[in-house]
Amino acid sequence: TEKIPEETNDTAPRNMKAAIDGQIVRADAYCGDAFVSAGDAVVKGDLLISGVVETELGGVRIVRADGTVIARTHREEKFAIPKKRRAAEYTDTPVCRYAARLFGVVVPLTFCSAPQDRAAVSSEVSAEFGGERASVSLITENIYGRRITVKDTDCETVFKNECLLRELFCYNDKKILDKQIAVSENDNYMIYTVDYSCEENIAKPSKILVRTN
Protein backbone atom coordinates (compact mmCIF):
# COMPACT_ATOMS: atom_id res chain seq x y z
CA THR A 1 0.00 0.00 0.00
CA GLU A 2 1.01 3.66 -0.38
CA LYS A 3 0.80 6.05 2.50
CA ILE A 4 0.78 9.82 1.90
CA PRO A 5 2.28 11.82 4.79
CA GLU A 6 -0.12 14.14 6.57
CA GLU A 7 0.12 17.86 5.66
CA THR A 8 0.38 18.78 9.33
CA ASN A 9 3.46 16.58 9.82
CA ASP A 10 6.38 18.97 9.38
CA THR A 11 8.85 16.05 9.31
CA ALA A 12 7.11 14.18 6.48
CA PRO A 13 9.48 13.29 3.61
CA ARG A 14 9.24 15.30 0.43
CA ASN A 15 11.00 16.43 -2.74
CA MET A 16 11.22 19.93 -4.16
CA LYS A 17 9.97 20.24 -7.74
CA ALA A 18 9.73 23.05 -10.28
CA ALA A 19 6.55 25.10 -9.99
CA ILE A 20 7.10 26.67 -13.43
CA ASP A 21 9.41 26.43 -16.45
CA GLY A 22 12.68 28.33 -16.13
CA GLN A 23 16.46 28.45 -16.37
CA ILE A 24 18.33 27.87 -13.14
CA VAL A 25 20.38 30.73 -11.69
CA ARG A 26 21.39 28.95 -8.49
CA ALA A 27 20.26 26.04 -6.36
CA ASP A 28 20.78 25.94 -2.59
CA ALA A 29 19.78 22.65 -0.97
CA TYR A 30 19.41 23.00 2.80
CA CYS A 31 18.33 19.39 3.15
CA GLY A 32 18.42 16.73 0.44
CA ASP A 33 20.43 16.49 -2.80
CA ALA A 34 20.25 19.20 -5.48
CA PHE A 35 19.51 17.71 -8.90
CA VAL A 36 20.07 20.94 -10.88
CA SER A 37 22.76 23.57 -11.20
CA ALA A 38 23.19 27.04 -12.74
CA GLY A 39 22.35 27.13 -16.43
CA ASP A 40 20.06 24.09 -16.46
CA ALA A 41 16.68 24.44 -18.16
CA VAL A 42 13.75 22.89 -16.32
CA VAL A 43 10.04 22.48 -16.96
CA LYS A 44 7.19 22.45 -14.50
CA GLY A 45 7.28 19.27 -12.39
CA ASP A 46 11.01 18.55 -12.80
CA LEU A 47 12.84 17.33 -9.70
CA LEU A 48 15.02 20.09 -8.21
CA ILE A 49 15.99 18.80 -4.76
CA SER A 50 15.58 15.12 -3.93
CA GLY A 51 14.45 13.88 -0.56
CA VAL A 52 16.03 10.48 -1.29
CA VAL A 53 19.63 10.78 -0.08
CA GLU A 54 22.42 8.21 -0.45
CA THR A 55 24.23 7.35 2.76
CA GLU A 56 27.98 6.80 3.23
CA LEU A 57 27.35 3.04 3.45
CA GLY A 58 25.68 2.95 0.04
CA GLY A 59 22.13 2.84 1.31
CA VAL A 60 19.45 5.47 1.06
CA ARG A 61 17.41 7.46 3.54
CA ILE A 62 14.34 9.58 2.96
CA VAL A 63 14.42 13.15 4.25
CA ARG A 64 12.28 16.26 4.11
CA ALA A 65 13.96 18.12 1.24
CA ASP A 66 14.25 21.86 1.62
CA GLY A 67 16.02 24.63 -0.22
CA THR A 68 15.82 27.58 -2.59
CA VAL A 69 16.12 27.29 -6.37
CA ILE A 70 16.27 30.64 -8.13
CA ALA A 71 15.45 30.61 -11.84
CA ARG A 72 14.77 33.04 -14.67
CA THR A 73 11.15 32.69 -15.69
CA HIS A 74 8.70 34.18 -18.16
CA ARG A 75 5.14 35.02 -17.25
CA GLU A 76 2.32 36.55 -19.29
CA GLU A 77 -0.53 38.69 -18.02
CA LYS A 78 -3.50 39.97 -20.05
CA PHE A 79 -5.68 42.97 -19.26
CA ALA A 80 -8.90 43.56 -21.26
CA ILE A 81 -10.16 47.10 -20.63
CA PRO A 82 -13.66 48.06 -21.88
CA LYS A 83 -13.56 51.07 -24.20
CA LYS A 84 -16.85 52.39 -22.82
CA ARG A 85 -18.12 52.61 -19.26
CA ARG A 86 -21.52 53.30 -17.75
CA ALA A 87 -21.68 56.12 -15.24
CA ALA A 88 -24.50 57.43 -13.04
CA GLU A 89 -25.03 61.19 -12.87
CA TYR A 90 -27.25 62.91 -10.32
CA THR A 91 -29.11 66.22 -10.49
CA ASP A 92 -27.69 69.05 -8.40
CA THR A 93 -31.06 70.22 -7.02
CA PRO A 94 -33.16 67.61 -5.19
CA VAL A 95 -36.93 67.37 -4.96
CA CYS A 96 -37.88 67.73 -1.28
CA ARG A 97 -40.81 65.84 0.20
CA TYR A 98 -42.08 65.85 3.77
CA ALA A 99 -44.10 63.44 5.84
CA ALA A 100 -45.12 63.03 9.46
CA ARG A 101 -44.94 59.83 11.46
CA LEU A 102 -47.84 59.76 13.93
CA PHE A 103 -47.81 56.81 16.29
CA GLY A 104 -46.14 54.64 13.65
CA VAL A 105 -48.31 55.80 10.71
CA VAL A 106 -46.61 57.84 7.96
CA VAL A 107 -48.75 60.72 6.64
CA PRO A 108 -47.50 62.58 3.50
CA LEU A 109 -47.36 66.37 3.87
CA THR A 110 -46.33 67.11 0.27
CA PHE A 111 -47.42 65.40 -2.93
CA CYS A 112 -44.88 66.52 -5.52
CA SER A 113 -43.74 63.89 -8.02
CA ALA A 114 -40.23 62.50 -7.98
CA PRO A 115 -37.93 61.37 -10.79
CA GLN A 116 -38.57 57.77 -11.83
CA ASP A 117 -34.88 56.82 -11.78
CA ARG A 118 -33.75 58.30 -8.53
CA ALA A 119 -31.64 58.18 -5.40
CA ALA A 120 -33.15 59.37 -2.13
CA VAL A 121 -31.61 60.62 1.10
CA SER A 122 -33.97 60.60 4.08
CA SER A 123 -33.73 62.06 7.56
CA GLU A 124 -36.14 61.85 10.47
CA VAL A 125 -36.46 64.16 13.49
CA SER A 126 -38.60 63.22 16.48
CA ALA A 127 -40.51 65.85 18.39
CA GLU A 128 -40.14 66.29 22.14
CA PHE A 129 -42.69 67.61 24.61
CA GLY A 130 -41.66 68.54 28.12
CA GLY A 131 -38.29 66.82 27.69
CA GLU A 132 -39.89 63.52 26.68
CA ARG A 133 -39.69 62.05 23.18
CA ALA A 134 -43.15 61.81 21.63
CA SER A 135 -44.47 59.34 19.07
CA VAL A 136 -44.44 62.08 16.46
CA SER A 137 -41.64 62.79 14.01
CA LEU A 138 -41.01 64.75 10.81
CA ILE A 139 -39.51 62.93 7.84
CA THR A 140 -37.61 64.88 5.19
CA GLU A 141 -36.76 63.16 1.90
CA ASN A 142 -34.37 64.72 -0.63
CA ILE A 143 -34.75 62.95 -3.97
CA TYR A 144 -32.07 63.33 -6.63
CA GLY A 145 -32.74 62.48 -10.24
CA ARG A 146 -30.28 60.04 -11.83
CA ARG A 147 -29.40 59.20 -15.38
CA ILE A 148 -27.00 56.61 -16.77
CA THR A 149 -24.52 57.83 -19.35
CA VAL A 150 -21.95 56.00 -21.45
CA LYS A 151 -18.48 57.54 -21.46
CA ASP A 152 -15.15 56.77 -23.05
CA THR A 153 -12.71 54.95 -20.79
CA ASP A 154 -9.18 56.21 -20.26
CA CYS A 155 -7.94 52.70 -21.06
CA GLU A 156 -4.24 53.43 -20.62
CA THR A 157 -4.70 54.84 -17.12
CA VAL A 158 -6.96 51.95 -16.08
CA PHE A 159 -4.42 49.46 -17.46
CA LYS A 160 -1.53 51.07 -15.60
CA ASN A 161 -3.46 50.98 -12.31
CA GLU A 162 -4.53 47.35 -12.76
CA CYS A 163 -1.02 46.33 -13.80
CA LEU A 164 0.45 48.03 -10.75
CA LEU A 165 -1.99 46.21 -8.45
CA ARG A 166 -1.25 42.86 -10.14
CA GLU A 167 2.48 43.37 -9.61
CA LEU A 168 1.96 44.50 -6.03
CA PHE A 169 -0.06 41.44 -5.01
CA CYS A 170 1.14 38.70 -7.40
CA TYR A 171 4.79 39.62 -8.06
CA ASN A 172 5.87 40.83 -4.63
CA ASP A 173 7.97 37.66 -4.17
CA LYS A 174 9.58 37.91 -7.60
CA LYS A 175 12.28 40.14 -9.04
CA ILE A 176 11.06 41.68 -12.30
CA LEU A 177 14.00 41.94 -14.69
CA ASP A 178 12.11 43.24 -17.70
CA LYS A 179 8.60 43.58 -19.11
CA GLN A 180 7.34 44.07 -22.64
CA ILE A 181 3.86 45.43 -23.35
CA ALA A 182 1.89 44.64 -26.52
CA VAL A 183 -1.41 46.40 -27.30
CA SER A 184 -4.27 45.16 -29.47
CA GLU A 185 -7.97 45.92 -29.66
CA ASN A 186 -11.36 44.76 -30.85
CA ASP A 187 -14.69 46.54 -31.08
CA ASN A 188 -15.26 46.64 -27.33
CA TYR A 189 -11.90 46.24 -25.58
CA MET A 190 -8.34 47.45 -25.51
CA ILE A 191 -6.17 44.40 -24.78
CA TYR A 192 -2.81 44.79 -23.07
CA THR A 193 -0.46 41.78 -22.98
CA VAL A 194 2.50 42.04 -20.60
CA ASP A 195 5.43 39.61 -20.88
CA TYR A 196 7.50 39.53 -17.70
CA SER A 197 11.05 38.27 -17.33
CA CYS A 198 11.62 37.44 -13.67
CA GLU A 199 13.91 35.80 -11.18
CA GLU A 200 12.08 33.78 -8.56
CA ASN A 201 12.21 30.78 -6.30
CA ILE A 202 10.55 27.97 -8.27
CA ALA A 203 11.07 25.17 -5.72
CA LYS A 204 7.71 23.72 -4.67
CA PRO A 205 7.26 20.93 -2.08
CA SER A 206 6.10 17.57 -3.44
CA LYS A 207 5.12 14.67 -1.18
CA ILE A 208 7.06 11.42 -1.29
CA LEU A 209 4.86 8.36 -1.23
CA VAL A 210 6.09 6.01 1.46
CA ARG A 211 5.38 2.39 0.61
CA THR A 212 4.47 0.20 3.58
CA ASN A 213 3.62 -3.50 3.82
Side-chain angles (χ1 to χ4, degrees), residues 2-14 64 205-210:
E2 291 182 342
K3 182 180 179 181
I4 300 176
E6 295 291 337
E7 285 285 353
T8 55
N9 185 355
D10 60 5
T11 63
R14 69 182 186 185
R64 183 177 175 83
S206 176
K207 297 175 184 178
I208 295 178
L209 299 179
V210 179

Side-chain angles (χ1 to χ4, degrees), residues 78-81 83 155 181-193:
K78 284 186 178 290
F79 302 84
I81 311 299
K83 293 181 178 179
C155 293
I181 302 172
V183 184
S184 59
E185 63 180 297
N186 56 33
D187 291 342
N188 299 315
Y189 293 90
M190 293 295 297
I191 302 169
Y192 299 82
T193 303

Side-chain angles (χ1 to χ4, degrees), residues 12-204:
R14 69 182 186 185
N15 294 317
M16 303 295 286
K17 294 186 176 182
I20 189 176
D21 300 355
Q23 184 174 24
I24 304 301
V25 175
R26 71 175 187 274
D28 300 318
Y30 311 140
C31 184
D33 288 338
F35 262 51
V36 293
S37 57
D40 290 347
V42 298
V43 297
K44 182 178 179 179
D46 278 356
L47 181 62
L48 304 178
I49 302 174
S50 176
V52 181
V53 180
E54 185 175 350
T55 67
E56 295 179 355
L57 299 177
V60 296
R61 61 189 181 94
I62 301 176
V63 301
R64 183 177 175 83
D66 194 13
T68 300
V69 181
I70 303 299
R72 288 192 176 91
T73 61
H74 293 278
R75 294 178 178 269
E76 181 182 276
E77 303 283 353
K78 284 186 178 290
F79 302 84
I81 311 299
K83 293 181 178 179
K84 301 288 184 180
R85 61 183 178 88
R86 292 166 61 86
E89 294 183 347
Y90 297 91
T91 56
D92 294 330
T93 304
V95 173
C96 296
R97 295 198 303 194
Y98 302 95
R101 188 186 301 277
L102 306 173
F103 303 99
V105 179
V106 177
V107 179
L109 300 179
T110 55
F111 298 92
C112 56
S113 60
Q116 185 174 2
D117 190 8
R118 63 185 186 174
V121 178
S122 298
S123 61
E124 185 170 344
V125 178
S126 297
E128 292 186 1
F129 298 97
E132 295 185 359
R133 189 173 297 275
S135 298
V136 180
S137 58
L138 177 66
I139 302 172
T140 302
E141 187 178 37
N142 294 319
I143 304 171
Y144 294 85
R146 181 180 64 178
R147 67 177 184 273
I148 303 298
T149 60
V150 178
K151 296 184 177 182
D152 291 332
T153 303
D154 185 349
C155 293
E156 185 173 356
T157 298
V158 173
F159 159 67
K160 288 180 178 178
N161 290 337
E162 290 192 7
C163 187
L164 182 61
L165 287 174
R166 186 78 56 87
E167 292 174 5
L168 181 63
F169 289 102
C170 299
Y171 286 74
N172 59 328
D173 58 345
K174 304 169 183 62
K175 179 181 179 181
I176 298 175
L177 303 176
D178 185 39
K179 65 180 179 181
Q180 300 293 327
I181 302 172
V183 184
S184 59
E185 63 180 297
N186 56 33
D187 291 342
N188 299 315
Y189 293 90
M190 293 295 297
I191 302 169
Y192 299 82
T193 303
V194 186
D195 288 313
Y196 290 95
S197 295
C198 304
E199 278 189 2
E200 59 182 296
N201 180 21
I202 65 170
K204 179 181 179 181

